[in-house]
Amino acid sequence: MNTAEPVRELTVVRAEPEAEGVLGITLADPGGAPLPEWEPGAHIDVELPSGLIRSYSLCGRPEDRHAYRIAVLHVADGRGGSTEIHTTRLVGRGLTVRGPRNQFPLIPAPRYVFVAGGIGITPVLPMIRELAERPDAPRWSLLYGGRSLDTMAFRTELAALHGGEVTLWPQDSHGLPDLDRALTGLPADTVVYCCGPEGLLEAVRSRTERLLPPGALHLERFQPAARTTPSPTDGSFEVELRRTGITLRVPADRSLLDVVREAVPGVAYSCEQGICGTCETKVVEGVPDHHDMLLTDAERETGATMMICVGRARSSRLALDL
């Protein structure tokens, strides 16, 4: 949330390929100080040399307090962050890092099914590693799909894990992942974790809705789901920044985040798509219009917080704790 979070300058100590098109990055404190604790599913916000801020899942070991490990897929037609990482000499360079933050925690359950697509393996790997190393490890399985084996990161690490079933599914030789086989006939107490492209997430969601009780599915998005209908509240509104003591007009053609940043330049943000949670802000007054992919229906109903990168207002005025 937009409150005090760990922010520090870390040094890139390693940048090496993890798979075709995937670069592994390891960051450490330049003075060797221990890093903030984290749990599987967590991510950090990284400010790149250009000033772009991007969120990346931590895929190392939580018990290693002296290194953060991320992996970045090169998306040539993306928003520029991955291209910068893949084309910039980063080793030895300092980068500002905020977090960790966890919007995708591993909850206790008697059995798990993990479905990962491409770089979606990054938040899943620490979860599976933790389960595999527990003395009383619950049952788990992983269906991991990618364009080809060469593009699928961490295959060696996954092969070394015990206590579960790992299925690699390269699309060039196997076609689309067999979700029906992975998700049909599961006990009702199974928890499903899925991370990957939107098409995979939607396919998993539609099946789990039919086959498992509500709350069984946990999703992590790297891009927002398509917005099918325009919001009736996309017009202008006022926002009061209660702590700053000013009131601003948010026009219809600008985001709330953009307007807030003019008055509070240091406000935390990253994805600008409502999927990372970095800009979650407390609502003091007014009714927010939510367009994020993180808050539950119950959380949206309370109106206690909102993601200001995509959220707007259902009331004519909002007051935020900024």
Side-chain angles (χ1 to χ4, degrees), residues 50 52 68 125 132 141 181 189 202 241 275:
S50 67
L52 289 175
Y68 283 160
L125 177 61
S141 66
R181 178 182 176 185
D189 56 2
E202 177 58 27
L241 308 184
I275 57 175

Side-chain angles (χ1 to χ4, degrees), residues 246-289:
I246 63 173
T247 298
L248 304 168
R249 168 64 59 176
V250 182
D253 60 348
R254 297 188 66 195
S255 73
L256 174 56
L257 173 63
D258 282 344
V259 173
V260 166
R261 288 184 63 211
E262 292 180 350
V264 188
V267 66
Y269 74 99
S270 177
C271 72
E272 300 181 72
Q273 300 178 91
I275 57 175
C276 75
T278 303
C279 69
E280 186 175 3
T281 301
K282 183 179 179 181
V283 178
V284 180
E285 187 179 317
V287 182
D289 182 22

Side-chain angles (χ1 to χ4, degrees), residues 203-227:
V204 170
R205 185 198 61 77
S206 65
R207 286 165 172 81
T208 54
E209 281 187 349
R210 291 186 286 106
L211 300 170
L212 290 171
L217 177 62
H218 300 262
L219 299 176
E220 173 97 316
R221 283 185 163 87
F222 290 147
Q223 61 186 35
R227 191 167 146 190

Side-chain angles (χ1 to χ4, degrees), residues 10-16 23-27 49 85 88-95:
L10 300 184
T11 300
V12 178
V13 296
R14 174 186 175 273
E16 297 178 0
L23 188 66
I25 303 289
T26 302
L27 302 112
I85 284 180
T88 303
R89 291 182 60 87
L90 292 176
V91 174
R93 191 158 192 166
L95 299 177

Side-chain angles (χ1 to χ4, degrees), residues 7 9 26 30 33 40 56 60 99 130 135 139 155 186 201 206 268 316 319:
V7 179
E9 189 89 357
T26 302
Y56 299 107
E130 178 182 301
R139 298 184 61 183
R155 300 195 311 275
L186 298 174
L201 268 59
S206 65
S316 61

